[in-house]
Amino acid sequence: MVAGAARIRVTFQVDADGLLNVAAREQGTGVEATVTVKPSYGLTDAEIENMLRDSIAHASDDNSARNLREQQVDADRVLEAVQAALRADGEKYLDRDERAVIEAALAALHNARAGTDTTAIKQAVAVVDQATQAFAMRRMDASVRAALAGHRLDEFKS
């Protein structure tokens, strides 16, 4: 054909296996050509199969590791929050004995967090929660009192 007379439609298609299929069709004559391009890099079918088998074989271990990490993150969050609260208001709202109970619970949580027993970490978090409930209530009451100071109740009615 003369230059500019050919009208070619080109179609690109990538399948799930990463294969590129290219089809070119000249619109006037209907002549078509196709080519499949397989990447020469990446993983072989055998490598993919081995990876799948390994993932299935180690699914339980992976799940346990995930659970452990989640408990450790939760423990870190609790440790950080309680320690910050103690620094901010420990002197104000706790007597010596209450603070000692909380600090002992924090130490136990810190030790449990360093281990690999998810149940022990969860239990230590629960112990810290129990030990800090009265402290948390005092802090919350004080915050509410401070927020309401200087206001009348009818100011908050809808």
Side-chain angles (χ1 to χ4, degrees), residues 2 4 9 15 23 45 60 89 108 113 126 147 150 155:
V2 290
R9 180 177 181 176
D15 67 13
D45 290 343
S60 177
D89 295 323
R113 190 259 179 253
E155 292 178 42

Side-chain angles (χ1 to χ4, degrees), residues 16-17 23 27 86 107 127 139 144:
D17 295 324
Q27 299 293 322
L86 287 173
V127 169
R139 291 185 78 213
V144 170

Side-chain angles (χ1 to χ4, degrees), residues 1-157:
M1 296 185 138
V2 290
R7 291 184 18 215
I8 301 172
R9 180 177 181 176
V10 180
T11 306
F12 299 93
Q13 184 177 25
V14 179
D15 67 13
D17 295 324
L19 299 177
L20 172 64
N21 296 301
V22 182
R25 179 183 178 108
E26 202 288 316
Q27 299 293 322
T29 62
V31 175
E32 186 173 320
T34 61
V35 65
T36 300
V37 180
K38 183 175 182 179
S40 61
Y41 60 87
L43 302 173
T44 66
D45 290 343
E47 289 172 324
I48 293 171
E49 184 178 334
N50 285 338
M51 289 173 67
L52 287 172
R53 288 180 198 272
D54 287 346
S55 70
I56 292 168
H58 297 289
S60 177
D61 295 338
D62 293 344
N63 192 33
S64 296
R66 178 180 176 204
N67 288 337
L68 174 61
R69 188 66 190 127
E70 286 175 353
Q71 290 302 316
Q72 289 172 330
V73 167
D74 191 37
D76 290 342
R77 181 188 56 79
V78 169
L79 287 166
E80 192 173 305
V82 173
Q83 289 167 346
L86 287 173
R87 282 191 301 274
D89 295 323
E91 297 293 321
K92 195 184 308 183
Y93 299 115
L94 293 172
D95 64 29
R96 192 177 306 172
D97 292 338
E98 290 171 319
R99 187 173 186 125
V101 169
I102 291 172
E103 287 178 350
L106 289 175
L109 176 56
H110 188 272
N111 289 337
R113 190 259 179 253
T116 59
D117 185 352
T118 57
T119 304
I121 297 170
K122 190 179 280 191
Q123 289 171 347
V125 167
V127 169
V128 169
D129 181 53
Q130 181 66 36
T132 58
Q133 281 185 359
F135 177 48
M137 285 186 347
R138 289 180 202 136
R139 291 185 78 213
M140 189 174 296
D141 287 347
S143 294
V144 170
R145 271 194 301 276
L148 295 177
H151 296 283
R152 293 187 321 256
L153 184 60
D154 60 350
E155 292 178 42
F156 297 104
K157 292 184 180 177

